[in-house]
Amino acid sequence: MSNLVPSGPDAFSRAGELLRQGGLVAFPTETVYGLGADARDDGAVGRIYTAKGRPSFNPLIVHVSDLGTARTYVEFTPVAERLAAAFWPGALTLVLPLKAGSVISPLVTAGLGTLAVRVPDHSVAQAVLAAFGGPVAAPSANPSGRVSPTTAAHVVQGLGDAVDLIVDGGACGVGLESTIVDCTGTPRLLRAGGVPLHAIEACVGQPLAQQIDAHIPSAPGQLQSHYAPSGSVRLNVERPQADEVYLGFGPMQADLNLSPSGDLVEAAARLFACLHELDAKGAERIAVAPVPMIGLGLAINDRLKRAAAPRNA
Ligand code: TXA
Ligand code: MG
């Protein structure tokens, strides 16, 4: 039987059953496709790290169906309450102190005393959570370091048989991973993402501290090379060279365009799909047009910077 199935009641009940058995299920969220496992099951969570080739010191986000369920695993702070009320369900992940005696596998938190938690705003993700009835640890469903998946086909290409079930729910609407805010102390931005920073700051009522270049990779952005296509990537290019494939933004001549009209929401939704497409075309040298540093442009530029970063051999 194929591991790729269209979303629907059959897919949801199979997903729930597989998760209960310790299996791996890929499913769409509004941000990117996640590679899910029972967050309480060490063996299942271990399989996530193996399937992705992910370093075990890089902790995972736990997905729950609602705020009430999140409260059973973590201690909420007043700021976290405000952020959850404003942005959940949605593309915001909160890092909070793990409750004592928590059932969450220590492999999920990589041994930290904190947990990253999120309520996804996608009917398929919610249906999978409901069918399973427990917390689902889910990183993006791509091999570690590579471009995140925004379609089921991307998951098949990247992980294939390493996943027990891939629920096809179409393309992800936001297209960038969630914004991660550490609320264990003064709120800090750990990763720019689908909820723009200015919206978070407006809700918190003050500018957020940003954790830049920390030596512990407390968010994936801290691993320099990430979101990388096979080809090399050059940024802020106004005029590409003859042997470069040009990824444009705004009205211009380009091989592919993130958003011909210069719309940052569209560009975010298309970014990873464009990088996957350039990979599929075998593009060896990719030049990317400048993308403004406003709104979702912060997260887009963050991903582009890491796609362009020097790679480990
Ligand atoms: O939009 C998303 O966030 C997607 C979808 C599937 O929900 N998930 C996602 O997961 O992007 P992942 O694993 O690719 O990135 C999550 C990052 C981890 O790499 C980790 O660095 C950070 O969240 N994280 C997880 N737990 C943490 C913790 N306790 N403290 C600080 N950072 C944490
Ligand atoms: Mg990821």
Side-chain angles (χ1 to χ4, degrees):
M1 206 193 297
S2 162
N3 67 348
L4 176 63
V5 296
S7 83
D10 288 351
F12 304 148
S13 63
R14 223 173 120 193
E17 200 175 309
L18 278 164
L19 288 169
R20 278 189 290 279
Q21 293 166 355
L24 296 185
V25 175
F27 59 90
T29 78
E30 77 279 31
T31 59
V32 299
Y33 273 69
L35 178 63
D38 183 345
R40 302 161 298 193
D41 180 336
D42 294 339
V45 175
R47 292 186 63 210
I48 292 181
Y49 286 97
T50 309
K52 281 183 62 89
R54 180 182 178 110
S56 59
F57 55 76
N58 194 2
L60 306 175
I61 297 173
V62 166
H63 297 67
V64 294
S65 49
D66 52 38
L67 176 58
T69 311
R71 284 190 216 287
T72 62
Y73 302 117
V74 288
E75 306 281 359
F76 270 75
T77 60
V79 168
E81 290 285 353
R82 273 220 299 286
L83 286 169
F87 299 108
W88 280 1
L92 174 68
T93 295
L94 298 174
V95 173
L96 289 164
L98 194 59
K99 278 196 168 162
S102 163
V103 292
I104 301 294
S105 164
L107 286 177
V108 168
T109 58
L112 299 169
T114 56
L115 180 69
V117 63
R118 162 167 123 79
V119 176
D121 185 17
H122 192 294
S123 60
V124 174
Q126 283 289 347
V128 169
L129 286 169
F132 172 51
V136 172
S140 51
N142 53 287
S144 186
R146 305 310 296 267
V147 179
S148 299
T150 54
T151 66
H154 296 157
V155 182
V156 175
Q157 280 155 29
L159 296 174
D161 291 342
V163 190
D164 297 307
L165 187 72
I166 301 169
V167 182
D168 187 349
C172 303
V174 175
L176 289 176
E177 295 86 347
S178 58
T179 305
I180 306 181
V181 178
D182 181 339
C183 291
T184 56
T186 310
R188 280 184 309 155
L189 180 73
L190 297 186
R191 177 176 74 182
V195 176
L197 180 59
H198 63 78
I200 305 234
E201 290 181 334
C203 175
V204 171
Q206 65 182 65
L208 248 57
Q210 299 194 24
Q211 178 170 333
I212 301 158
D213 286 339
H215 30 275
I216 37 158
S218 53
Q222 264 89 25
L223 296 169
Q224 269 246 324
S225 174
H226 211 91
Y227 314 105
S230 304
S232 66
V233 180
R234 204 161 67 88
L235 303 183
N236 294 315
V237 176
E238 308 264 6
R239 261 178 235 89
Q241 287 160 10
D243 62 346
E244 286 179 321
V245 181
Y246 194 37
L247 178 57
F249 175 81
M252 61 172 66
Q253 199 84 46
D255 299 291
L256 256 181
N257 200 315
L258 289 169
S259 170
S261 66
D263 174 0
L264 288 165
V265 174
E266 182 187 28
R270 281 175 46 75
L271 174 66
F272 291 142
C274 285
L275 294 179
H276 277 287
E277 194 175 327
L278 292 169
D279 250 358
K281 281 189 176 146
E284 285 174 12
R285 303 190 59 211
I286 301 164
V288 188
V291 176
M293 280 292 275
I294 46 168
L296 286 180
L298 271 67
I300 295 171
N301 278 296
D302 170 81
R303 303 304 186 272
L304 284 171
K305 200 172 84 197
R306 302 191 192 278
R311 320 231 168 122
N312 299 327

